[in-house]
Amino acid sequence: MAAARRKFGEDYRAVDGGRGTAFRAPAKRKRQRFVEKNGRCNVQHGNLGGETGRYISDLFTTLVDLKWRWNLLIFILTYTVAWLAMASMWWLIAYVRGDLSRGGGRDASAHAPCVANVYNFPSAFLFFIETEATIGYGYRYITDECPEGILLFLFQSLLGSVVDAFLVGCMFIKMSQPKKRAETLMFSRDAVVSRRDGKLCLMFRVGNLRNSHMVSAQIRCKLIQSRQTPEGEFLPLDQRELDVGFGTGADQLFLVSPLTICHEIDSRSPFFHLSRRSLTDEHFEIVVILEGIVETTGMTCQARTSYTEDEVLWGHRFLPVMSLEEGFFRVDYSQFHNTFEVPTPPCSVREQEEEEEASPRSPEPPPSSPPPGGRRGRLLSADGAETPEERGGMKTAASRGRRRPSPRVRRTACPPNCAE
Protein backbone atom coordinates (compact mmCIF):
# COMPACT_ATOMS: atom_id res chain seq x y z
CA MET A 1 0.00 0.00 0.00
CA ALA A 2 2.82 2.40 0.85
CA ALA A 3 4.56 1.65 -2.44
CA ALA A 4 1.34 2.31 -4.32
CA ARG A 5 0.91 5.63 -2.52
CA ARG A 6 4.44 6.67 -3.49
CA LYS A 7 3.73 5.72 -7.10
CA PHE A 8 0.28 7.25 -7.52
CA GLY A 9 0.42 10.08 -4.98
CA GLU A 10 -1.40 10.92 -1.80
CA ASP A 11 -4.79 10.73 -3.49
CA TYR A 12 -4.35 6.99 -3.92
CA ARG A 13 -7.01 4.89 -2.25
CA ALA A 14 -7.34 1.22 -3.13
CA VAL A 15 -10.76 -0.12 -3.93
CA ASP A 16 -11.53 -3.82 -4.04
CA GLY A 17 -13.45 -4.89 -7.13
CA GLY A 18 -15.28 -7.40 -4.96
CA ARG A 19 -17.08 -4.57 -3.15
CA GLY A 20 -14.77 -4.44 -0.16
CA THR A 21 -14.94 -2.04 2.75
CA ALA A 22 -12.77 0.62 1.09
CA PHE A 23 -15.56 1.66 -1.25
CA ARG A 24 -19.19 0.74 -1.24
CA ALA A 25 -21.56 1.88 -3.95
CA PRO A 26 -24.90 3.25 -2.82
CA ALA A 27 -27.42 0.49 -2.26
CA LYS A 28 -29.92 0.20 -5.09
CA ARG A 29 -32.75 -2.10 -5.81
CA LYS A 30 -31.65 -4.96 -8.03
CA ARG A 31 -33.28 -4.65 -11.42
CA GLN A 32 -33.59 -6.92 -14.40
CA ARG A 33 -30.57 -7.16 -16.66
CA PHE A 34 -30.68 -7.52 -20.42
CA VAL A 35 -27.37 -9.42 -20.50
CA GLU A 36 -26.07 -11.22 -17.44
CA LYS A 37 -22.51 -10.80 -16.21
CA ASN A 38 -21.64 -14.24 -17.61
CA GLY A 39 -22.85 -13.19 -21.06
CA ARG A 40 -26.19 -15.00 -21.12
CA CYS A 41 -28.91 -12.98 -22.80
CA ASN A 42 -31.91 -12.77 -20.49
CA VAL A 43 -34.54 -12.99 -23.24
CA GLN A 44 -37.20 -15.67 -23.74
CA HIS A 45 -39.35 -16.05 -26.84
CA GLY A 46 -43.00 -16.89 -26.34
CA ASN A 47 -46.33 -17.07 -28.19
CA LEU A 48 -44.69 -18.20 -31.39
CA GLY A 49 -47.95 -19.59 -32.72
CA GLY A 50 -47.44 -21.33 -36.04
CA GLU A 51 -43.78 -20.31 -36.25
CA THR A 52 -42.57 -23.35 -34.25
CA GLY A 53 -42.27 -25.31 -37.50
CA ARG A 54 -39.23 -23.22 -38.37
CA TYR A 55 -37.29 -25.06 -35.68
CA ILE A 56 -38.04 -28.39 -37.35
CA SER A 57 -36.98 -27.10 -40.76
CA ASP A 58 -33.54 -26.35 -39.26
CA LEU A 59 -33.36 -29.52 -37.19
CA PHE A 60 -29.57 -29.72 -37.07
CA THR A 61 -29.17 -26.26 -35.52
CA THR A 62 -32.04 -27.00 -33.15
CA LEU A 63 -30.27 -30.10 -31.87
CA VAL A 64 -26.98 -28.27 -31.48
CA ASP A 65 -28.65 -25.49 -29.49
CA LEU A 66 -30.26 -27.93 -27.04
CA LYS A 67 -28.75 -28.57 -23.65
CA TRP A 68 -26.45 -31.52 -23.16
CA ARG A 69 -28.97 -33.63 -21.26
CA TRP A 70 -31.48 -33.38 -24.10
CA ASN A 71 -28.79 -34.09 -26.68
CA LEU A 72 -27.74 -37.26 -24.90
CA LEU A 73 -31.36 -38.35 -24.50
CA ILE A 74 -32.08 -37.86 -28.21
CA PHE A 75 -28.81 -39.60 -29.11
CA ILE A 76 -29.65 -42.71 -27.05
CA LEU A 77 -33.32 -42.83 -28.05
CA THR A 78 -32.56 -42.47 -31.77
CA TYR A 79 -30.10 -45.35 -31.84
CA THR A 80 -32.29 -47.52 -29.61
CA VAL A 81 -35.40 -47.00 -31.73
CA ALA A 82 -33.46 -47.55 -34.98
CA TRP A 83 -31.89 -50.75 -33.69
CA LEU A 84 -35.18 -52.16 -32.43
CA ALA A 85 -36.96 -51.24 -35.68
CA MET A 86 -34.35 -52.88 -37.90
CA ALA A 87 -34.14 -55.97 -35.67
CA SER A 88 -37.94 -56.25 -35.87
CA MET A 89 -37.75 -56.17 -39.68
CA TRP A 90 -35.20 -59.01 -39.73
CA TRP A 91 -37.35 -60.97 -37.29
CA LEU A 92 -40.42 -60.34 -39.49
CA ILE A 93 -38.64 -61.72 -42.58
CA ALA A 94 -37.61 -64.81 -40.65
CA TYR A 95 -41.17 -65.23 -39.37
CA VAL A 96 -42.73 -64.91 -42.83
CA ARG A 97 -40.28 -67.40 -44.37
CA GLY A 98 -40.82 -69.86 -41.53
CA ASP A 99 -37.24 -69.74 -40.27
CA LEU A 100 -38.37 -69.37 -36.66
CA SER A 101 -40.37 -72.63 -36.59
CA ARG A 102 -37.65 -74.63 -38.30
CA GLY A 103 -34.67 -73.17 -36.56
CA GLY A 104 -34.33 -75.87 -33.91
CA GLY A 105 -36.17 -78.80 -35.67
CA ARG A 106 -34.84 -81.96 -37.26
CA ASP A 107 -35.43 -80.64 -40.77
CA ALA A 108 -33.42 -77.49 -40.18
CA SER A 109 -30.55 -78.72 -42.32
CA ALA A 110 -32.85 -79.23 -45.33
CA HIS A 111 -34.25 -75.67 -45.09
CA ALA A 112 -32.38 -72.65 -46.51
CA PRO A 113 -33.06 -69.75 -44.11
CA CYS A 114 -32.82 -66.08 -45.00
CA VAL A 115 -30.31 -65.51 -42.19
CA ALA A 116 -28.54 -68.48 -40.73
CA ASN A 117 -28.99 -69.14 -37.01
CA VAL A 118 -31.74 -66.53 -36.55
CA TYR A 119 -34.67 -68.28 -34.88
CA ASN A 120 -36.07 -65.68 -32.41
CA PHE A 121 -36.06 -61.91 -31.77
CA PRO A 122 -32.87 -61.80 -29.65
CA SER A 123 -30.94 -63.61 -32.37
CA ALA A 124 -32.34 -61.20 -35.00
CA PHE A 125 -31.29 -58.25 -32.82
CA LEU A 126 -27.79 -59.68 -32.43
CA PHE A 127 -27.51 -60.18 -36.19
CA PHE A 128 -28.43 -56.55 -36.80
CA ILE A 129 -25.87 -55.29 -34.24
CA GLU A 130 -23.14 -57.48 -35.74
CA THR A 131 -23.97 -56.22 -39.22
CA GLU A 132 -24.34 -52.56 -38.29
CA ALA A 133 -21.15 -52.49 -36.25
CA THR A 134 -19.30 -54.61 -38.87
CA ILE A 135 -18.27 -57.05 -36.17
CA GLY A 136 -18.89 -60.17 -38.28
CA TYR A 137 -18.56 -63.09 -35.86
CA GLY A 138 -19.41 -65.51 -38.70
CA TYR A 139 -22.09 -67.45 -36.83
CA ARG A 140 -25.04 -65.47 -38.22
CA TYR A 141 -24.93 -64.52 -41.88
CA ILE A 142 -27.33 -63.75 -44.73
CA THR A 143 -27.77 -66.32 -47.49
CA ASP A 144 -28.31 -65.88 -51.23
CA GLU A 145 -31.73 -67.58 -51.02
CA CYS A 146 -33.34 -64.42 -49.60
CA PRO A 147 -33.70 -61.45 -52.04
CA GLU A 148 -35.85 -59.52 -49.55
CA GLY A 149 -33.05 -59.86 -47.02
CA ILE A 150 -30.55 -58.43 -49.50
CA LEU A 151 -32.79 -55.38 -50.08
CA LEU A 152 -33.23 -54.92 -46.34
CA PHE A 153 -29.47 -55.14 -45.88
CA LEU A 154 -28.93 -52.33 -48.42
CA PHE A 155 -31.58 -50.18 -46.74
CA GLN A 156 -29.99 -50.85 -43.35
CA SER A 157 -26.57 -49.74 -44.58
CA LEU A 158 -27.92 -46.50 -46.03
CA LEU A 159 -30.05 -45.69 -42.97
CA GLY A 160 -27.19 -46.43 -40.59
CA SER A 161 -24.86 -44.10 -42.50
CA VAL A 162 -27.39 -41.26 -42.41
CA VAL A 163 -28.12 -41.67 -38.70
CA ASP A 164 -24.41 -41.86 -37.85
CA ALA A 165 -23.57 -38.79 -39.90
CA PHE A 166 -26.41 -36.77 -38.40
CA LEU A 167 -26.02 -37.65 -34.73
CA VAL A 168 -22.24 -38.00 -34.60
CA GLY A 169 -21.88 -34.73 -36.53
CA CYS A 170 -24.27 -33.02 -34.14
CA MET A 171 -22.34 -34.23 -31.10
CA PHE A 172 -19.00 -33.24 -32.65
CA ILE A 173 -20.19 -29.71 -33.45
CA LYS A 174 -21.60 -29.29 -29.95
CA MET A 175 -18.39 -30.50 -28.30
CA SER A 176 -16.19 -28.29 -30.48
CA GLN A 177 -18.15 -25.10 -29.85
CA PRO A 178 -15.86 -22.38 -28.45
CA LYS A 179 -18.27 -21.37 -25.69
CA LYS A 180 -15.93 -22.69 -23.02
CA ARG A 181 -13.12 -20.63 -24.52
CA ALA A 182 -15.10 -17.52 -23.62
CA GLU A 183 -14.87 -18.46 -19.94
CA THR A 184 -11.12 -17.74 -20.01
CA LEU A 185 -11.75 -14.19 -21.28
CA MET A 186 -12.14 -11.84 -18.32
CA PHE A 187 -13.94 -8.53 -17.92
CA SER A 188 -13.59 -6.22 -14.96
CA ARG A 189 -16.49 -6.30 -12.52
CA ASP A 190 -16.91 -2.53 -12.72
CA ALA A 191 -16.43 0.23 -15.24
CA VAL A 192 -14.81 3.52 -14.20
CA VAL A 193 -15.11 7.16 -15.23
CA SER A 194 -12.05 9.38 -14.97
CA ARG A 195 -9.80 11.63 -17.00
CA ARG A 196 -7.37 10.30 -19.57
CA ASP A 197 -5.26 12.63 -21.71
CA GLY A 198 -7.28 15.54 -20.39
CA LYS A 199 -10.64 14.10 -21.48
CA LEU A 200 -13.36 12.42 -19.46
CA CYS A 201 -13.56 8.74 -20.41
CA LEU A 202 -15.56 5.64 -19.54
CA MET A 203 -13.20 2.68 -19.16
CA PHE A 204 -13.28 -1.03 -18.39
CA ARG A 205 -10.71 -3.80 -18.53
CA VAL A 206 -10.46 -7.06 -20.51
CA GLY A 207 -7.99 -9.92 -20.17
CA ASN A 208 -7.09 -13.32 -21.61
CA LEU A 209 -6.16 -16.07 -19.16
CA ARG A 210 -4.76 -18.47 -21.78
CA ASN A 211 -1.42 -18.28 -23.50
CA SER A 212 -3.08 -18.98 -26.85
CA HIS A 213 -4.02 -15.76 -28.59
CA MET A 214 -7.31 -14.49 -29.90
CA VAL A 215 -6.72 -13.76 -33.57
CA SER A 216 -8.39 -10.63 -35.00
CA ALA A 217 -9.91 -9.74 -31.63
CA GLN A 218 -12.43 -6.91 -31.86
CA ILE A 219 -14.53 -5.28 -29.17
CA ARG A 220 -17.86 -3.46 -29.44
CA CYS A 221 -20.08 -1.71 -26.91
CA LYS A 222 -23.83 -1.16 -26.95
CA LEU A 223 -25.80 1.17 -24.69
CA ILE A 224 -29.15 -0.37 -23.76
CA GLN A 225 -31.51 2.32 -22.51
CA SER A 226 -35.21 2.99 -22.92
CA ARG A 227 -36.06 6.40 -24.30
CA GLN A 228 -38.86 8.43 -25.83
CA THR A 229 -38.55 10.17 -29.18
CA PRO A 230 -39.61 13.80 -29.74
CA GLU A 231 -42.65 12.40 -31.56
CA GLY A 232 -43.78 10.60 -28.41
CA GLU A 233 -42.77 7.07 -29.46
CA PHE A 234 -41.43 4.96 -26.59
CA LEU A 235 -38.47 2.75 -27.49
CA PRO A 236 -37.91 0.05 -24.86
CA LEU A 237 -34.34 -1.21 -24.63
CA ASP A 238 -33.11 1.04 -27.40
CA GLN A 239 -29.61 0.13 -28.59
CA ARG A 240 -26.99 2.77 -29.36
CA GLU A 241 -23.36 2.30 -30.28
CA LEU A 242 -20.57 3.43 -27.97
CA ASP A 243 -17.42 4.41 -29.82
CA VAL A 244 -14.41 2.57 -28.40
CA GLY A 245 -12.00 3.50 -31.18
CA PHE A 246 -13.71 2.39 -34.35
CA GLY A 247 -12.38 5.32 -36.34
CA THR A 248 -8.82 5.03 -35.01
CA GLY A 249 -8.56 1.22 -34.98
CA ALA A 250 -8.36 1.04 -31.19
CA ASP A 251 -11.18 -1.52 -31.23
CA GLN A 252 -8.80 -4.06 -32.84
CA LEU A 253 -7.09 -5.69 -29.87
CA PHE A 254 -3.78 -7.48 -29.45
CA LEU A 255 -4.96 -9.33 -26.38
CA VAL A 256 -1.83 -10.88 -24.89
CA SER A 257 -2.11 -8.90 -21.65
CA PRO A 258 -4.96 -7.07 -19.90
CA LEU A 259 -6.10 -3.98 -21.78
CA THR A 260 -8.18 -1.01 -20.67
CA ILE A 261 -10.87 -0.13 -23.20
CA CYS A 262 -11.68 3.56 -23.35
CA HIS A 263 -14.79 5.41 -24.54
CA GLU A 264 -14.21 9.14 -24.84
CA ILE A 265 -17.17 11.18 -23.57
CA ASP A 266 -17.71 14.08 -25.95
CA SER A 267 -20.62 15.80 -27.71
CA ARG A 268 -21.28 12.68 -29.81
CA SER A 269 -21.36 10.36 -26.81
CA PRO A 270 -24.66 9.31 -25.19
CA PHE A 271 -23.03 10.21 -21.85
CA PHE A 272 -22.47 13.85 -22.84
CA HIS A 273 -24.96 14.99 -20.16
CA LEU A 274 -23.87 12.43 -17.53
CA SER A 275 -22.49 13.74 -14.26
CA ARG A 276 -21.67 12.17 -10.95
CA ARG A 277 -24.91 13.43 -9.48
CA SER A 278 -27.12 12.26 -12.35
CA LEU A 279 -25.44 8.84 -12.46
CA THR A 280 -27.42 7.72 -9.43
CA ASP A 281 -30.70 8.53 -11.21
CA GLU A 282 -29.89 6.95 -14.58
CA HIS A 283 -31.10 3.55 -15.77
CA PHE A 284 -28.94 2.04 -18.49
CA GLU A 285 -26.89 -1.02 -19.31
CA ILE A 286 -23.63 -1.19 -21.25
CA VAL A 287 -23.24 -4.45 -23.17
CA VAL A 288 -19.67 -5.37 -24.10
CA ILE A 289 -19.04 -7.86 -26.92
CA LEU A 290 -15.57 -9.30 -27.53
CA GLU A 291 -15.12 -11.38 -30.68
CA GLY A 292 -12.12 -13.20 -32.06
CA ILE A 293 -10.84 -16.37 -33.69
CA VAL A 294 -9.51 -19.09 -31.41
CA GLU A 295 -5.92 -19.69 -32.45
CA THR A 296 -5.95 -23.44 -31.76
CA THR A 297 -9.24 -24.34 -33.50
CA GLY A 298 -9.83 -21.50 -35.96
CA MET A 299 -13.43 -21.07 -34.77
CA THR A 300 -15.00 -17.73 -33.92
CA CYS A 301 -15.49 -17.08 -30.21
CA GLN A 302 -17.66 -14.40 -28.62
CA ALA A 303 -17.58 -13.30 -24.99
CA ARG A 304 -20.13 -10.90 -23.50
CA THR A 305 -20.77 -9.04 -20.29
CA SER A 306 -22.64 -5.94 -19.17
CA TYR A 307 -22.40 -3.03 -16.76
CA THR A 308 -25.40 -1.34 -15.16
CA GLU A 309 -25.37 2.19 -13.79
CA ASP A 310 -24.56 0.98 -10.26
CA GLU A 311 -21.45 -0.79 -11.62
CA VAL A 312 -19.94 2.43 -12.99
CA LEU A 313 -17.53 4.02 -10.49
CA TRP A 314 -17.09 7.77 -10.93
CA GLY A 315 -13.62 9.12 -10.21
CA HIS A 316 -11.78 5.79 -10.21
CA ARG A 317 -8.94 4.23 -12.16
CA PHE A 318 -7.76 0.64 -12.50
CA LEU A 319 -4.71 -0.55 -10.65
CA PRO A 320 -1.80 -1.58 -12.88
CA VAL A 321 -1.31 -5.33 -13.18
CA MET A 322 1.85 -5.50 -15.35
CA SER A 323 5.29 -5.72 -13.85
CA LEU A 324 8.70 -6.32 -15.41
CA GLU A 325 10.43 -9.41 -14.11
CA GLU A 326 13.79 -10.82 -15.10
CA GLY A 327 13.36 -11.63 -18.78
CA PHE A 328 9.56 -11.42 -19.02
CA PHE A 329 6.47 -9.42 -18.11
CA ARG A 330 4.27 -10.68 -15.30
CA VAL A 331 0.52 -10.13 -15.00
CA ASP A 332 -0.95 -10.06 -11.51
CA TYR A 333 -4.61 -11.02 -11.95
CA SER A 334 -5.28 -10.57 -8.23
CA GLN A 335 -5.39 -6.81 -8.94
CA PHE A 336 -7.43 -7.16 -12.14
CA HIS A 337 -10.71 -5.85 -10.67
CA ASN A 338 -9.25 -3.38 -8.17
CA THR A 339 -9.46 0.39 -8.63
CA PHE A 340 -8.31 3.50 -6.80
CA GLU A 341 -9.81 6.97 -6.54
CA VAL A 342 -8.42 9.87 -8.56
CA PRO A 343 -9.46 13.55 -8.72
CA THR A 344 -12.22 13.82 -11.32
CA PRO A 345 -14.62 16.68 -12.04
CA PRO A 346 -18.10 15.74 -10.80
CA CYS A 347 -19.87 17.67 -13.54
CA SER A 348 -20.72 16.46 -17.01
CA VAL A 349 -18.77 17.25 -20.16
CA ARG A 350 -21.58 19.51 -21.31
CA GLU A 351 -21.42 21.52 -18.10
CA GLN A 352 -17.65 21.84 -18.46
CA GLU A 353 -17.96 23.15 -22.02
CA GLU A 354 -20.68 25.61 -21.03
CA GLU A 355 -18.54 26.88 -18.18
CA GLU A 356 -15.56 27.33 -20.49
CA GLU A 357 -17.68 29.27 -22.98
CA ALA A 358 -19.13 31.48 -20.24
CA SER A 359 -15.76 32.25 -18.65
CA PRO A 360 -14.38 35.79 -19.50
CA ARG A 361 -11.55 36.02 -21.99
CA SER A 362 -8.68 38.49 -21.89
CA PRO A 363 -9.16 41.39 -24.37
CA GLU A 364 -7.06 41.35 -27.49
CA PRO A 365 -4.48 44.16 -27.92
CA PRO A 366 -5.47 46.90 -30.41
CA PRO A 367 -3.96 46.56 -33.87
CA SER A 368 -0.80 48.56 -34.44
CA SER A 369 -1.12 51.62 -36.72
CA PRO A 370 0.55 51.37 -40.13
CA PRO A 371 3.77 53.29 -40.64
CA PRO A 372 3.21 56.88 -41.78
CA GLY A 373 3.23 57.15 -45.48
CA GLY A 374 4.21 53.56 -45.96
CA ARG A 375 1.05 52.27 -47.62
CA ARG A 376 0.35 55.65 -49.28
CA GLY A 377 3.88 55.79 -50.58
CA ARG A 378 3.62 52.33 -52.09
CA LEU A 379 0.31 53.23 -53.73
CA LEU A 380 1.59 56.53 -55.12
CA SER A 381 4.75 54.96 -56.45
CA ALA A 382 2.69 52.50 -58.37
CA ASP A 383 0.49 55.27 -59.85
CA GLY A 384 3.23 56.89 -61.92
CA ALA A 385 1.55 60.32 -62.07
CA GLU A 386 3.94 62.16 -59.79
CA THR A 387 7.04 64.03 -60.81
CA PRO A 388 10.43 62.46 -60.19
CA GLU A 389 11.07 64.99 -57.39
CA GLU A 390 7.86 64.06 -55.63
CA ARG A 391 8.55 60.39 -56.28
CA GLY A 392 12.05 60.67 -54.87
CA GLY A 393 10.91 62.62 -51.84
CA MET A 394 8.10 60.25 -51.14
CA LYS A 395 10.51 57.32 -51.49
CA THR A 396 12.85 58.93 -48.97
CA ALA A 397 9.99 59.53 -46.55
CA ALA A 398 8.74 56.01 -47.00
CA SER A 399 12.20 54.62 -46.37
CA ARG A 400 12.46 56.69 -43.19
CA GLY A 401 9.00 55.75 -41.96
CA ARG A 402 9.05 52.08 -42.90
CA ARG A 403 9.38 49.86 -39.86
CA ARG A 404 8.80 46.18 -39.30
CA PRO A 405 5.48 45.87 -37.48
CA SER A 406 5.65 43.94 -34.25
CA PRO A 407 3.79 40.65 -34.41
CA ARG A 408 0.53 40.54 -32.53
CA VAL A 409 0.27 37.72 -29.99
CA ARG A 410 -3.24 36.57 -29.21
CA ARG A 411 -3.58 35.65 -25.60
CA THR A 412 -6.58 33.75 -24.36
CA ALA A 413 -7.18 33.01 -20.73
CA CYS A 414 -7.62 29.30 -19.95
CA PRO A 415 -11.14 28.66 -18.71
CA PRO A 416 -11.30 27.53 -15.11
CA ASN A 417 -11.82 23.83 -14.57
CA CYS A 418 -15.00 22.52 -13.18
CA ALA A 419 -15.09 22.47 -9.42
CA GLU A 420 -13.92 19.23 -8.02
Side-chain angles (χ1 to χ4, degrees), residues 50-122:
E51 302 298 331
T52 54
R54 296 177 181 266
Y55 291 97
I56 305 300
S57 62
D58 191 11
L59 185 59
F60 186 82
T61 306
T62 302
L63 292 177
V64 173
D65 289 340
L66 290 177
K67 294 183 179 181
W68 268 109
R69 55 178 176 266
W70 298 112
N71 273 105
L72 294 176
L73 180 61
I74 293 175
F75 187 86
I76 295 173
L77 287 179
T78 302
Y79 273 108
T80 302
V81 171
W83 290 349
L84 292 176
M86 293 304 301
S88 300
M89 297 178 71
W90 284 111
W91 176 85
L92 183 61
I93 291 178
Y95 176 79
V96 172
R97 290 178 58 88
D99 298 342
L100 302 181
S101 59
R102 301 176 183 177
R106 289 177 293 180
D107 56 345
S109 58
H111 175 69
C114 181
V115 179
N117 300 315
V118 172
Y119 45 85
N120 53 20
F121 183 80

Side-chain angles (χ1 to χ4, degrees), residues 376-387:
R376 183 172 177 271
R378 287 194 297 270
L379 292 176
L380 292 178
S381 63
D383 191 7
E386 289 78 17
T387 61

Side-chain angles (χ1 to χ4, degrees), residues 47-220:
N47 297 327
L48 297 177
E51 302 298 331
T52 54
R54 296 177 181 266
Y55 291 97
I56 305 300
S57 62
D58 191 11
L59 185 59
F60 186 82
T61 306
T62 302
L63 292 177
V64 173
D65 289 340
L66 290 177
K67 294 183 179 181
W68 268 109
R69 55 178 176 266
W70 298 112
N71 273 105
L72 294 176
L73 180 61
I74 293 175
F75 187 86
I76 295 173
L77 287 179
T78 302
Y79 273 108
T80 302
V81 171
W83 290 349
L84 292 176
M86 293 304 301
S88 300
M89 297 178 71
W90 284 111
W91 176 85
L92 183 61
I93 291 178
Y95 176 79
V96 172
R97 290 178 58 88
D99 298 342
L100 302 181
S101 59
R102 301 176 183 177
R106 289 177 293 180
D107 56 345
S109 58
H111 175 69
C114 181
V115 179
N117 300 315
V118 172
Y119 45 85
N120 53 20
F121 183 80
S123 59
F125 183 80
L126 290 175
F127 169 73
F128 166 75
I129 294 297
E130 294 172 12
T131 307
E132 180 67 21
T134 64
I135 297 175
Y137 291 117
Y139 182 70
R140 299 178 181 86
Y141 55 91
I142 189 172
T143 63
D144 55 359
E145 299 294 335
C146 183
E148 60 271 22
I150 297 175
L151 294 177
L152 181 60
F153 178 75
L154 295 176
F155 175 74
Q156 170 188 321
S157 301
L158 294 175
L159 181 63
S161 300
V162 171
V163 172
D164 290 342
F166 190 83
L167 292 181
V168 175
C170 177
M171 298 296 290
F172 174 77
I173 293 296
K174 190 168 184 63
M175 287 188 296
S176 60
Q177 280 184 325
K179 290 183 178 181
K180 295 299 181 182
R181 178 63 176 90
E183 295 184 0
T184 54
L185 298 175
M186 291 182 60
F187 297 92
S188 58
R189 294 193 187 98
D190 301 306
V192 298
V193 175
S194 61
R195 283 188 176 272
R196 171 177 282 190
D197 296 329
K199 299 177 181 179
L200 197 64
C201 298
L202 171 72
M203 294 173 285
F204 57 91
R205 180 179 277 175
V206 297
N208 182 15
L209 297 180
R210 290 188 180 273
N211 292 327
S212 59
H213 300 169
M214 292 291 295
V215 182
S216 301
Q218 183 180 15
I219 195 162
R220 295 181 292 122

Side-chain angles (χ1 to χ4, degrees), residues 7-24:
K7 184 175 181 180
F8 299 105
E10 295 299 327
D11 294 326
Y12 169 81
R13 178 182 172 190
V15 177
D16 187 4
R19 298 291 192 269
T21 57
F23 178 82
R24 186 176 300 275

Side-chain angles (χ1 to χ4, degrees), residues 355-375:
E355 184 175 351
E356 291 177 0
E357 293 176 356
S359 60
R361 298 178 180 271
S362 60
E364 296 184 2
S368 60
S369 59
R375 179 176 176 83

